[in-house]
Amino acid sequence: MQKKNHMTDHKTRLAVFCSGSGSNFKSIYQAIAEKTLNAEIVLCLSNRSQCGAMEFARQQGIAILHITEKQFDTFDEFAAEMVKQLKDARIDNVLLAGYMRKVPDAVVKAFPDKMLNIHPALLPKFGGEGMYGLHVHTAVLEAGERESGATVHFVNEEYDKGKILLQRTVPVLAGDTPESLAARVLECEHRLYPDALEKLLTLQKS
Ligand code: GAR
């Protein structure tokens, strides 16, 4: 009888952290189904209970966790509960997809090289604290850049500084507004994050 290899059978268990419309969350969810990636989203975590991502997760029957610092007496308790919930759900990888909060260091430490973030620009440029959403695209336009793009990187304790896993460019067009550039970058993100996830799964297998 052939021995079952439990390592290769294991479906990677993902938690996706979101705060907004959740379009990246949806594209990852769809890509997992279409590309038959050996992974499943088992938890959607958000600081906003009613955001688009949480609504989508509810519709798909994915477990949700609404957790914010405000629910706890101290930041450390908040961070410890986050780690506990992720460990209890046996999460292998965390994907930040438009999560507009800094992930507590304790959570980052609990998932070394196992947490990814998507950033709507070509890191290392246009990253760091305060660089999120339209602020990023405004800064890119003000700098007169001819190209922008999206970056998926590993998360470490420093904002947007972890090792880059995958990056793709889009042109900046004459007459672009922060909104029009954001829309072009977001479209790029929707292909990039699933590809980055695929790359991560391959790396983790080897
Ligand atoms: C995305 O553009 C993502 O790159 C950005 O927020 C948007 C979320 O959209 N993230 C950041 O700016 C983090 N620094 P979504 O909720 O539709 O996926």
Side-chain angles (χ1 to χ4, degrees), residues 16 18-19 30 41 43 55 58 69 75 78 82 89 105 115 125 128 137 142 157 163 172 176 185:
V16 185
C18 304
S19 302
Q30 273 150 14
I41 300 173
L43 182 68
E55 288 307 326
R58 283 186 191 98
E69 207 184 319
F75 189 79
F78 162 60
M82 231 192 210
D105 287 354
M115 188 183 298
K125 280 172 142 187
H137 307 294
E142 278 173 359
E157 282 100 330
K163 194 171 160 247
V172 174
D176 257 340
V185 171

Side-chain angles (χ1 to χ4, degrees), residues 20 35 83 119-120 166 172:
K35 294 182 167 193
V83 172
H119 185 77
L166 208 59
V172 174

Side-chain angles (χ1 to χ4, degrees), residues 150-168:
T151 306
V152 174
H153 64 94
F154 289 95
V155 176
N156 62 16
E157 282 100 330
E158 279 186 281
Y159 252 124
D160 300 329
K161 290 275 176 64
K163 194 171 160 247
I164 291 172
L165 179 62
L166 208 59
Q167 195 167 54
R168 213 164 274 161

